Structure formats: structure tokens, C-alpha cells
Amino acid sequence: MILFLEFCRLLKVFMDQIVHGAPVDLSFRSLSRLTDAWTETPCSSLRPLKKNSERKYLSCSLRLSNNSITDLCDLHQTVCHFLAEPSHLAWLDLSFNKLSHIEQVLCELPGLRVLYLHGNSIYTLSEVDRLGMLPHLHSITLHGNPIEAYKTYRNRVISALPRLKTMDFGGVTQQERVLAKLWHQSNTRCRNSRKSLH
């Protein structure tokens, strides 16, 4: 099972590179702040990264995984520092860092399609809701965070992000969409009835 999941992950990485070009890869750099990345040179990949006349990368993918990043307050500036077209950022890998929140700055990436947040310290499940405003987000990873322990974890994420095609490297089924919708309706009714009692 672990080999199959790893195969799926590598296949996803390969497909993302085909669709979005080679990523600007700043993984495994011991970065604790995003501004620390600005002096780094991205890892070389199978396909060379191309630059524009301003020496910015012609890529739609940014990898910042396996670092020690604790917050995303400089995310916008970091994306603008590296990418020629920051608004076209489609794939962002922040996995295996020390993030404890899903910050609002992620919602300022309108082209985002793939977001990896697995292996962090995110503990507030309701923060997933804010990602619902990303119009093209179709793939997310959140496993390996404290929120995964919630009984309603998968329902809550699928309910908050109805355009998801994959979650935690697995496909979102039609049955899961129906269950998430029913869960959301039931949860809304419960909340409304509690409000009317007060």
C-alpha cells in the first residue's frame, strides 16, 4: 500500500510538471522564513527552468516542502520574487513544514489548482473553509496534520471545497460528495437550531 501511494505521488508530481512546467524547487533548505528563500537557487530538475529577461522563472509551480516554515506572511512577495507570472501560480507545495494555520494569504492565489499542506501542524479544521474561495483548486493534501484526527475530517474538507477531484492523493468519489453534502446540511440544521434556542 505504501509503495502504491508513493507511486501515485510521483505520478502526480510528473503530471504536474507536464502541465505546469518544471517547478521552482526550494525544498530541503532548512528555511524557517519564506524570506530566507530569496537568496537560494532552486534545485535543478529533469527539465531546465527557463527565465525571462528580468531573471524570473517561467514556471507555474513552487515547491517549499521539507523546511521549517512556520508562517506564510511573506508568501506573496516570495511568489513575486521567483515567478515571472505570479498570478499563474497553479501548484504550491508547502508539505512537511511547521505551519499551524491555513492562512488567508493562500486565498490570494487565484490560479491555484494544487495545494500540498500535508505533514504540517494544522489543528483548526474550520480554517479549510477559507480555501473555498479559490475557484480552480481541485487537489489538496492535508493528511499528517492534527486535523486529520477529526471524525468529520474528510466530509468537512470535501464540503468546503466542492470542486476537489483529489484529496490526500486519492480521488474524491461521487458518493463522498453526496455524503459531504448531507453532512453539511445536517451540520447547518444543528447550528441553526442551537441559535434559535438562545
Side-chain angles (χ1 to χ4, degrees):
M1 182 66 177
I2 293 170
L3 286 174
F4 177 72
L5 290 174
E6 182 62 13
F7 170 76
C8 290
R9 187 189 71 75
L10 292 173
L11 180 62
K12 180 80 178 127
V13 168
F14 177 70
M15 293 307 293
D16 285 335
Q17 286 189 12
I18 290 171
V19 174
H20 305 301
V24 175
D25 191 349
L26 297 156
S27 302
F28 297 97
R29 300 300 174 90
S30 302
L31 307 172
S32 55
R33 294 181 313 229
L34 287 172
T35 51
D36 295 341
W38 299 3
T39 57
E40 298 283 336
T41 302
C43 296
S44 54
S45 66
L46 296 174
R47 293 185 349 220
L49 278 166
K50 295 178 181 158
K51 293 182 183 178
N52 67 4
S53 58
E54 296 171 353
R55 313 285 298 151
K56 295 196 178 191
Y57 295 101
L58 301 170
S59 176
C60 298
S61 309
L62 181 60
R63 294 190 69 194
L64 290 156
S65 65
N66 295 279
N67 284 297
S68 299
I69 298 164
T70 56
D71 68 69
L72 301 176
C73 60
D74 297 304
L75 181 63
H76 179 72
Q77 296 93 318
T78 302
V79 172
C80 290
H81 177 83
F82 285 103
L83 302 187
E85 297 284 347
S87 63
H88 294 169
L89 178 65
W91 183 51
L92 178 60
D93 185 353
L94 292 163
S95 60
F96 298 107
N97 275 286
K98 295 183 178 176
L99 300 170
S100 57
H101 295 282
I102 296 175
E103 296 179 43
Q104 186 64 35
V105 69
L106 290 169
C107 302
E108 297 165 17
L109 302 169
L112 201 60
R113 296 173 184 278
V114 179
L115 177 60
Y116 292 171
L117 288 168
H118 56 281
N120 277 283
S121 303
I122 299 163
Y123 59 89
T124 307
L125 188 54
S126 62
E127 290 180 351
V128 173
D129 295 357
R130 60 179 54 137
L131 298 175
M133 63 193 311
L134 292 169
H136 305 293
L137 186 65
H138 65 72
S139 182
I140 193 166
T141 60
L142 290 160
H143 60 284
N145 283 281
I147 58 172
E148 188 181 21
Y150 284 93
K151 193 167 57 173
T152 59
Y153 164 68
R154 200 160 169 95
N155 280 338
R156 177 69 183 252
V157 174
I158 294 169
S159 170
L161 308 173
R163 291 176 289 279
L164 279 187
K165 293 177 185 169
T166 64
M167 177 181 164
D168 295 340
F169 300 118
V172 175
T173 66
Q174 187 57 38
Q175 183 180 7
E176 285 181 308
R177 289 182 208 287
V178 170
L179 288 173
K181 189 174 182 179
L182 291 171
W183 172 85
H184 177 73
Q185 290 168 347
S186 171
N187 200 39
T188 303
R189 274 197 300 275
C190 287
R191 245 184 286 132
N192 290 340
S193 63
R194 275 196 297 257
K195 283 180 188 171
S196 64
L197 292 173
H198 294 295

